[in-house]
mmCIF file of all heavy atoms in Angstrom:
data_model
loop_
_atom_site.group_PDB
_atom_site.id
_atom_site.type_symbol
_atom_site.label_atom_id
_atom_site.label_comp_id
_atom_site.label_asym_id
_atom_site.label_seq_id
_atom_site.Cartn_x
_atom_site.Cartn_y
_atom_site.Cartn_z
ATOM 1 N N HIS A 270 -15.526 -24.390 1.903
ATOM 2 C CA HIS A 270 -14.083 -24.433 1.581
ATOM 3 C C HIS A 270 -13.166 -23.765 2.604
ATOM 4 O O HIS A 270 -11.999 -24.133 2.712
ATOM 5 C CB HIS A 270 -13.846 -23.784 0.202
ATOM 6 C CG HIS A 270 -14.633 -24.430 -0.891
ATOM 7 N ND1 HIS A 270 -14.249 -25.608 -1.484
ATOM 8 C CD2 HIS A 270 -15.817 -24.075 -1.468
ATOM 9 C CE1 HIS A 270 -15.148 -25.945 -2.395
ATOM 10 N NE2 HIS A 270 -16.116 -25.035 -2.402
ATOM 11 N N VAL A 271 -13.667 -22.756 3.325
ATOM 12 C CA VAL A 271 -12.781 -22.005 4.227
ATOM 13 C C VAL A 271 -12.607 -22.737 5.562
ATOM 14 O O VAL A 271 -13.582 -23.168 6.177
ATOM 15 C CB VAL A 271 -13.327 -20.576 4.466
ATOM 16 C CG1 VAL A 271 -12.554 -19.879 5.595
ATOM 17 C CG2 VAL A 271 -13.223 -19.755 3.181
ATOM 18 N N VAL A 272 -11.351 -22.887 5.978
ATOM 19 C CA VAL A 272 -11.022 -23.515 7.260
ATOM 20 C C VAL A 272 -10.249 -22.481 8.077
ATOM 21 O O VAL A 272 -9.281 -21.894 7.581
ATOM 22 C CB VAL A 272 -10.113 -24.763 7.038
ATOM 23 C CG1 VAL A 272 -9.703 -25.375 8.373
ATOM 24 C CG2 VAL A 272 -10.808 -25.777 6.140
ATOM 25 N N VAL A 273 -10.685 -22.250 9.312
ATOM 26 C CA VAL A 273 -9.945 -21.312 10.170
ATOM 27 C C VAL A 273 -8.776 -22.059 10.803
ATOM 28 O O VAL A 273 -8.948 -23.119 11.399
ATOM 29 C CB VAL A 273 -10.868 -20.693 11.243
ATOM 30 C CG1 VAL A 273 -10.051 -19.888 12.254
ATOM 31 C CG2 VAL A 273 -11.917 -19.804 10.578
ATOM 32 N N ASP A 274 -7.571 -21.476 10.617
ATOM 33 C CA ASP A 274 -6.343 -22.136 11.061
ATOM 34 C C ASP A 274 -5.569 -21.157 11.963
ATOM 35 O O ASP A 274 -5.096 -20.117 11.490
ATOM 36 C CB ASP A 274 -5.508 -22.497 9.816
ATOM 37 C CG ASP A 274 -4.246 -23.249 10.169
ATOM 38 O OD1 ASP A 274 -3.816 -23.174 11.336
ATOM 39 O OD2 ASP A 274 -3.673 -23.882 9.264
ATOM 40 N N PRO A 275 -5.431 -21.509 13.246
ATOM 41 C CA PRO A 275 -4.776 -20.580 14.191
ATOM 42 C C PRO A 275 -3.358 -20.178 13.790
ATOM 43 O O PRO A 275 -2.852 -19.163 14.267
ATOM 44 C CB PRO A 275 -4.751 -21.371 15.509
ATOM 45 C CG PRO A 275 -5.809 -22.405 15.358
ATOM 46 C CD PRO A 275 -5.922 -22.723 13.893
ATOM 47 N N GLN A 276 -2.712 -20.943 12.909
ATOM 48 C CA GLN A 276 -1.344 -20.533 12.515
ATOM 49 C C GLN A 276 -1.335 -19.167 11.815
ATOM 50 O O GLN A 276 -0.291 -18.521 11.729
ATOM 51 C CB GLN A 276 -0.657 -21.602 11.642
ATOM 52 C CG GLN A 276 -1.149 -21.654 10.222
ATOM 53 C CD GLN A 276 -0.140 -22.305 9.267
ATOM 54 O OE1 GLN A 276 0.991 -21.859 9.136
ATOM 55 N NE2 GLN A 276 -0.578 -23.375 8.617
ATOM 56 N N PHE A 277 -2.497 -18.724 11.327
ATOM 57 C CA PHE A 277 -2.551 -17.417 10.662
ATOM 58 C C PHE A 277 -3.018 -16.295 11.597
ATOM 59 O O PHE A 277 -3.179 -15.160 11.158
ATOM 60 C CB PHE A 277 -3.435 -17.486 9.410
ATOM 61 C CG PHE A 277 -2.873 -18.407 8.353
ATOM 62 C CD1 PHE A 277 -3.481 -19.627 8.079
ATOM 63 C CD2 PHE A 277 -1.717 -18.066 7.671
ATOM 64 C CE1 PHE A 277 -2.945 -20.492 7.125
ATOM 65 C CE2 PHE A 277 -1.170 -18.920 6.720
ATOM 66 C CZ PHE A 277 -1.785 -20.138 6.451
ATOM 67 N N PHE A 278 -3.276 -16.626 12.875
ATOM 68 C CA PHE A 278 -3.613 -15.559 13.832
ATOM 69 C C PHE A 278 -2.356 -14.739 14.113
ATOM 70 O O PHE A 278 -1.238 -15.258 14.064
ATOM 71 C CB PHE A 278 -4.133 -16.132 15.163
ATOM 72 C CG PHE A 278 -5.490 -16.788 15.064
ATOM 73 C CD1 PHE A 278 -6.000 -17.506 16.144
ATOM 74 C CD2 PHE A 278 -6.263 -16.712 13.913
ATOM 75 C CE1 PHE A 278 -7.243 -18.120 16.076
ATOM 76 C CE2 PHE A 278 -7.516 -17.321 13.828
ATOM 77 C CZ PHE A 278 -8.003 -18.026 14.916
ATOM 78 N N ARG A 279 -2.538 -13.478 14.446
ATOM 79 C CA ARG A 279 -1.398 -12.589 14.720
ATOM 80 C C ARG A 279 -1.220 -12.387 16.219
ATOM 81 O O ARG A 279 -2.198 -12.460 16.969
ATOM 82 C CB ARG A 279 -1.635 -11.251 14.010
ATOM 83 C CG ARG A 279 -1.576 -11.452 12.514
ATOM 84 C CD ARG A 279 -1.901 -10.218 11.713
ATOM 85 N NE ARG A 279 -1.665 -10.517 10.306
ATOM 86 C CZ ARG A 279 -1.910 -9.693 9.310
ATOM 87 N NH1 ARG A 279 -2.399 -8.488 9.547
ATOM 88 N NH2 ARG A 279 -1.655 -10.048 8.071
ATOM 89 N N PRO A 280 0.026 -12.116 16.647
ATOM 90 C CA PRO A 280 0.266 -11.914 18.087
ATOM 91 C C PRO A 280 -0.604 -10.801 18.679
ATOM 92 O O PRO A 280 -0.994 -10.854 19.828
ATOM 93 C CB PRO A 280 1.745 -11.524 18.150
ATOM 94 C CG PRO A 280 2.342 -12.069 16.895
ATOM 95 C CD PRO A 280 1.269 -12.031 15.858
ATOM 96 N N ALA A 281 -0.873 -9.773 17.880
ATOM 97 C CA ALA A 281 -1.812 -8.718 18.291
ATOM 98 C C ALA A 281 -2.566 -8.326 17.025
ATOM 99 O O ALA A 281 -1.962 -8.136 15.974
ATOM 100 C CB ALA A 281 -1.078 -7.519 18.871
ATOM 101 N N GLU A 282 -3.880 -8.248 17.131
ATOM 102 C CA GLU A 282 -4.705 -8.028 15.924
ATOM 103 C C GLU A 282 -5.248 -6.601 15.893
ATOM 104 O O GLU A 282 -5.448 -5.965 16.936
ATOM 105 C CB GLU A 282 -5.866 -9.045 15.924
ATOM 106 C CG GLU A 282 -6.854 -8.945 14.777
ATOM 107 C CD GLU A 282 -6.259 -9.182 13.378
ATOM 108 O OE1 GLU A 282 -5.528 -8.304 12.878
ATOM 109 O OE2 GLU A 282 -6.566 -10.243 12.786
ATOM 110 N N VAL A 283 -5.425 -6.101 14.685
ATOM 111 C CA VAL A 283 -6.201 -4.878 14.472
ATOM 112 C C VAL A 283 -7.595 -5.369 14.090
ATOM 113 O O VAL A 283 -7.806 -5.886 12.991
ATOM 114 C CB VAL A 283 -5.566 -4.027 13.341
ATOM 115 C CG1 VAL A 283 -6.473 -2.855 12.983
ATOM 116 C CG2 VAL A 283 -4.193 -3.529 13.774
ATOM 117 N N ASP A 284 -8.537 -5.252 15.022
ATOM 118 C CA ASP A 284 -9.851 -5.880 14.810
ATOM 119 C C ASP A 284 -10.679 -5.172 13.759
ATOM 120 O O ASP A 284 -11.390 -5.807 12.993
ATOM 121 C CB ASP A 284 -10.638 -5.903 16.138
ATOM 122 C CG ASP A 284 -9.965 -6.801 17.152
ATOM 123 O OD1 ASP A 284 -9.536 -7.903 16.741
ATOM 124 O OD2 ASP A 284 -9.856 -6.403 18.334
ATOM 125 N N ILE A 285 -10.601 -3.857 13.749
ATOM 126 C CA ILE A 285 -11.476 -3.111 12.830
ATOM 127 C C ILE A 285 -10.834 -1.794 12.418
ATOM 128 O O ILE A 285 -10.207 -1.119 13.238
ATOM 129 C CB ILE A 285 -12.868 -2.854 13.481
ATOM 130 C CG1 ILE A 285 -13.738 -1.974 12.572
ATOM 131 C CG2 ILE A 285 -12.751 -2.264 14.878
ATOM 132 C CD1 ILE A 285 -15.196 -1.905 12.989
ATOM 133 N N LEU A 286 -10.983 -1.464 11.150
ATOM 134 C CA LEU A 286 -10.552 -0.157 10.645
ATOM 135 C C LEU A 286 -11.685 0.416 9.790
ATOM 136 O O LEU A 286 -12.307 -0.319 9.010
ATOM 137 C CB LEU A 286 -9.283 -0.290 9.805
ATOM 138 C CG LEU A 286 -7.989 -0.615 10.576
ATOM 139 C CD1 LEU A 286 -6.856 -0.942 9.621
ATOM 140 C CD2 LEU A 286 -7.595 0.524 11.516
ATOM 141 N N LEU A 287 -11.929 1.692 9.962
ATOM 142 C CA LEU A 287 -12.974 2.377 9.188
ATOM 143 C C LEU A 287 -12.550 3.834 9.042
ATOM 144 O O LEU A 287 -12.505 4.573 10.035
ATOM 145 C CB LEU A 287 -14.327 2.270 9.918
ATOM 146 C CG LEU A 287 -15.479 3.099 9.363
ATOM 147 C CD1 LEU A 287 -15.796 2.731 7.916
ATOM 148 C CD2 LEU A 287 -16.727 2.909 10.231
ATOM 149 N N GLY A 288 -12.227 4.235 7.826
ATOM 150 C CA GLY A 288 -11.687 5.572 7.616
ATOM 151 C C GLY A 288 -12.748 6.613 7.310
ATOM 152 O O GLY A 288 -13.822 6.297 6.791
ATOM 153 N N ASN A 289 -12.403 7.862 7.627
ATOM 154 C CA ASN A 289 -13.244 8.995 7.246
ATOM 155 C C ASN A 289 -12.449 9.830 6.237
ATOM 156 O O ASN A 289 -11.579 10.607 6.638
ATOM 157 C CB ASN A 289 -13.581 9.825 8.488
ATOM 158 C CG ASN A 289 -14.334 11.096 8.126
ATOM 159 O OD1 ASN A 289 -14.625 11.348 6.951
ATOM 160 N ND2 ASN A 289 -14.643 11.906 9.115
ATOM 161 N N PRO A 290 -12.754 9.669 4.950
ATOM 162 C CA PRO A 290 -11.959 10.367 3.918
ATOM 163 C C PRO A 290 -12.475 11.771 3.596
ATOM 164 O O PRO A 290 -12.174 12.312 2.534
ATOM 165 C CB PRO A 290 -12.132 9.445 2.696
ATOM 166 C CG PRO A 290 -13.498 8.852 2.871
ATOM 167 C CD PRO A 290 -13.791 8.802 4.353
ATOM 168 N N GLY A 291 -13.213 12.385 4.541
ATOM 169 C CA GLY A 291 -13.844 13.692 4.289
ATOM 170 C C GLY A 291 -12.855 14.777 3.861
ATOM 171 O O GLY A 291 -13.128 15.541 2.943
ATOM 172 N N LYS A 292 -11.696 14.828 4.516
ATOM 173 C CA LYS A 292 -10.724 15.892 4.191
ATOM 174 C C LYS A 292 -10.193 15.710 2.763
ATOM 175 O O LYS A 292 -10.064 16.697 2.018
ATOM 176 C CB LYS A 292 -9.574 15.859 5.206
ATOM 177 C CG LYS A 292 -8.505 16.897 4.955
ATOM 178 C CD LYS A 292 -7.444 16.861 6.051
ATOM 179 C CE LYS A 292 -6.262 17.754 5.750
ATOM 180 N NZ LYS A 292 -5.200 17.616 6.768
ATOM 181 N N ALA A 293 -9.871 14.468 2.391
ATOM 182 C CA ALA A 293 -9.376 14.216 1.021
ATOM 183 C C ALA A 293 -10.440 14.613 -0.002
ATOM 184 O O ALA A 293 -10.134 15.161 -1.066
ATOM 185 C CB ALA A 293 -8.985 12.749 0.864
ATOM 186 N N GLN A 294 -11.682 14.333 0.359
ATOM 187 C CA GLN A 294 -12.784 14.679 -0.556
ATOM 188 C C GLN A 294 -12.907 16.195 -0.697
ATOM 189 O O GLN A 294 -12.980 16.715 -1.810
ATOM 190 C CB GLN A 294 -14.079 14.094 0.004
ATOM 191 C CG GLN A 294 -15.162 13.940 -1.036
ATOM 192 C CD GLN A 294 -16.337 13.133 -0.487
ATOM 193 O OE1 GLN A 294 -16.169 12.292 0.400
ATOM 194 N NE2 GLN A 294 -17.511 13.383 -1.009
ATOM 195 N N ARG A 295 -12.857 16.883 0.418
ATOM 196 C CA ARG A 295 -13.040 18.355 0.399
ATOM 197 C C ARG A 295 -11.843 19.057 -0.222
ATOM 198 O O ARG A 295 -11.984 19.934 -1.056
ATOM 199 C CB ARG A 295 -13.221 18.884 1.832
ATOM 200 C CG ARG A 295 -14.587 18.613 2.446
ATOM 201 C CD ARG A 295 -14.746 19.383 3.757
ATOM 202 N NE ARG A 295 -13.676 19.117 4.706
ATOM 203 C CZ ARG A 295 -13.635 18.058 5.532
ATOM 204 N NH1 ARG A 295 -14.602 17.170 5.502
ATOM 205 N NH2 ARG A 295 -12.621 17.899 6.378
ATOM 206 N N GLN A 296 -10.620 18.662 0.183
ATOM 207 C CA GLN A 296 -9.442 19.445 -0.221
ATOM 208 C C GLN A 296 -8.782 18.958 -1.504
ATOM 209 O O GLN A 296 -8.168 19.731 -2.219
ATOM 210 C CB GLN A 296 -8.422 19.486 0.915
ATOM 211 C CG GLN A 296 -8.893 20.439 2.001
ATOM 212 C CD GLN A 296 -7.955 20.553 3.174
ATOM 213 O OE1 GLN A 296 -8.407 20.614 4.310
ATOM 214 N NE2 GLN A 296 -6.662 20.568 2.925
#
Side-chain angles (χ1 to χ4, degrees):
H270 303 281
V271 170
V272 177
V273 171
D274 183 340
Q276 75 158 302
F277 296 109
F278 291 171
R279 293 176 174 176
E282 178 62 287
V283 172
D284 294 317
I285 175 168
L286 289 171
L287 171 60
N289 174 1
K292 179 176 172 185
Q294 201 170 332
R295 285 190 306 277
Q296 285 180 220

